[in-house]
DNA sequence: TTTCCTGCAAATAATTTGCAGAACT
DNA sequence: AGTTCTGCAAATTATTTGCAGGAAA
């Protein structure tokens, strides 16, 4: 049975301790990335993370960020979602949520994953398919954009 | 009010006629792309379309394919969906369907859009968000992959 | 010290764009 | 003729990979 995933409110140090217990090394890059994610109020793309840590750690390379995001996801600390066009977005697994993305203005709304429980049941019953609402985004038109539509 | 969108069973010529009526030109590239889409049993990526028409029309450039897919979509003939990772997939608007994509094996299942009517109602009521089930894919694990899971 | 991690540079994959000439209508 | 398309080459965006040196445990 795997180590418990850090819960809401976990500090960067808690997450790093989790890594240590899993046998992964705690490096400057990982510390920087985890801090950036803990500080991020919501989700961030790989590039945004690289930019955010560039002030404090200018030498950390973008490829290191990508490699560590992948590793941190495999260790259960992070999850990522595809927003349709453009870059994937990452957030703490403890802070899991689904996304609604506006096709017109690009805004990404965070919504609780429970909203998909019914769809989940239907897809499983009819197709034997287990949906993963954290991994994809629902595209459509947000309320403000809809209201400025042509009549 | 826009011209009616070609219905199921439309031939390539019907679609091309539709283009003419909308004031768009009928060129070799567009004919080739529309034929490829009508012949496609399901959906195809831009690259697959470019490859498919390369035999009959070797000179048609990939960038022309991209430009025309965009134009044909704007004219209501085609729609595209994002499958998570990788390239977008196109199909005839008359043949509209949603997608379930397996995170493990990559298979894309085509499913009727009506499966999302309930989610649609919920998202609209709770967030004023109008979902577009043709434009995104539901990621998860398909039945065969699930059954070969570790216990 | 041994294995894992990192920077750097280059490679990929999926599109997009500028431009001058070619093709529809 | 006049506007729209197209090929070609180069630029973009997002991400991945090879390799040799550097750092955790």
């Amino acid at each position: 049975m795997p180590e418990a995933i850090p819960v809401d409110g976990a500090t960067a140090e808690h997450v790093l301790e989790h890594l240590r217990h899993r046998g992964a090394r705690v490096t400057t890059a990982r510390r920087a990335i985890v801090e950036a994610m803990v500080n991020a109020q919501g989700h961030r793309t790989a590039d945004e993370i690289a930019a955010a840590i560039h002030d404090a750690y200018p030498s950390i390379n973008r490829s290191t960020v990508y490699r560590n995001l992948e590793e941190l996801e495999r260790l259960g600390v992070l999850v990522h979602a595809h927003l349709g066009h453009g870059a994937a977005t990452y957030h703490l697994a403890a802070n899991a949520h689904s996304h609604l993305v506006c096709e017109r203005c690009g805004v990404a709304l965070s919504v609780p994953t429970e909203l998909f429980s019914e769809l989940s049941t239907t897809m499983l019953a009819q197709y034997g398919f287990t949906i993963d609402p954290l991994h994809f985004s629902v595209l459509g038109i947000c309320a403000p954009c809809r209201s400025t539509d042509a009549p």
Side-chain angles (χ1 to χ4, degrees), chain A residues 12 15-16 19 29-39 72 77:
Chain A
V15 173
L16 296 174
L19 296 192
R30 289 185 184 167
R31 189 184 307 278
I33 293 169
V34 169
E35 282 170 359
M37 291 310 298
V38 169
N39 292 339
L72 291 170
V77 172

Side-chain angles (χ1 to χ4, degrees), chain A residues 135-151:
Chain A
H135 196 189
F136 66 92
S137 300
V138 171
L139 300 182
I141 309 288
C142 69
C145 283
R146 176 60 71 199
S147 68
T148 58
D149 252 2

Side-chain angles (χ1 to χ4, degrees), chain A residues 55-119:
Chain A
D55 303 316
Y57 312 88
S59 71
I60 294 177
N61 195 274
R62 197 192 265 42
S63 65
T64 299
V65 172
Y66 275 103
R67 278 189 279 231
N68 280 316
L69 289 174
E70 195 182 334
E71 177 70 3
L72 291 170
E73 181 153 23
R74 207 149 44 63
L75 291 169
V77 172
L78 302 179
V79 296
H80 80 272
H82 302 283
L83 299 183
H85 302 277
T89 196
Y90 287 82
H91 45 74
L92 291 175
N95 198 14
H97 57 266
S98 296
H99 300 87
L100 309 183
V101 176
C102 182
E103 294 162 347
R104 196 158 308 164
C105 70
V107 69
L109 306 177
S110 297
V111 303
T113 297
E114 295 85 61
L115 289 167
F116 294 87
S117 60
E118 188 128 20
L119 186 70

Side-chain angles (χ1 to χ4, degrees), chain A residues 36-47:
Chain A
M37 291 310 298
V38 169
N39 292 339
Q41 70 299 31
H43 40 240
R44 283 186 171 173
T45 65
D47 222 62

